[in-house]
Amino acid sequence: FLGSVGDYFTSFNTNQPIRHADGIQAWTGADYQNGLNFAQEIGVSKAWGNVSNAFAFTTEGVVRDAGIGGILVDGNFGPGIAYYHFDTQVSAGVDGGYNFSESKPDVEIYGDVRKSLSANTWAGMRLAYVEVIGDKGPDYPVVALTAGFGF
């Protein structure tokens, strides 16, 4: 099992590009966020530029909530850059927004890796660091396992 998982993540499928003509991706993910027992995120992103380019500027919006009742944690929007190699996407960026749990603005620095599962779906992992502006408490990392689709 581990050998096949390793082969999947270390090979490239040239017949299944992750970048789609319109450059739009939507996703959801399970987050580990310090101090929260259960959190998830919902996001959408847009890649700008020619679909044949290996690099693209991106914009994205992400909303995180926590708990069974879906209490809003934060909402962010911002620019990024993505690199595409066949069925793999690596991206990074900076989002700004509002942290509802602290009632203060925040800034998030993120990086993620996505790998195609089929012609329109992918799975990935996202690492982010959230800095709540004006907060006296510690800022926190976010680790997310994501799944989404593109069109």
Side-chain angles (χ1 to χ4, degrees), residues 8-9 11 13 15-20 25 85-89 113-124 148 150:
Y8 174 75
F9 284 108
S11 64
N13 185 345
N15 297 318
Q16 205 168 59
I18 195 166
R19 187 166 182 191
H20 299 281
Q25 293 181 339
H85 186 71
F86 300 116
D87 65 341
T88 304
Q89 173 186 336
V113 176
R114 299 172 180 174
K115 183 106 167 126
S116 286
L117 297 173
S118 70
N120 294 312
T121 61
W122 51 265

Side-chain angles (χ1 to χ4, degrees), residues 10-86:
T10 58
S11 64
F12 298 104
N13 185 345
T14 60
N15 297 318
Q16 205 168 59
I18 195 166
R19 187 166 182 191
H20 299 281
D22 291 332
I24 298 172
Q25 293 181 339
W27 72 91
T28 187
D31 292 2
Y32 170 74
Q33 204 166 322
N34 191 27
L36 297 176
N37 292 331
F38 183 72
Q40 57 273 344
E41 67 182 45
I42 297 172
V44 64
S45 66
K46 166 79 173 138
W48 302 93
N50 190 330
V51 74
S52 65
N53 291 343
F55 285 93
F57 288 105
T58 61
T59 51
E60 72 164 24
V62 179
V63 175
R64 286 192 186 88
D65 59 51
I68 302 301
I71 299 165
L72 283 177
V73 175
D74 63 13
N76 294 298
F77 179 82
I81 190 164
Y83 172 71
Y84 302 92
H85 186 71
F86 300 116

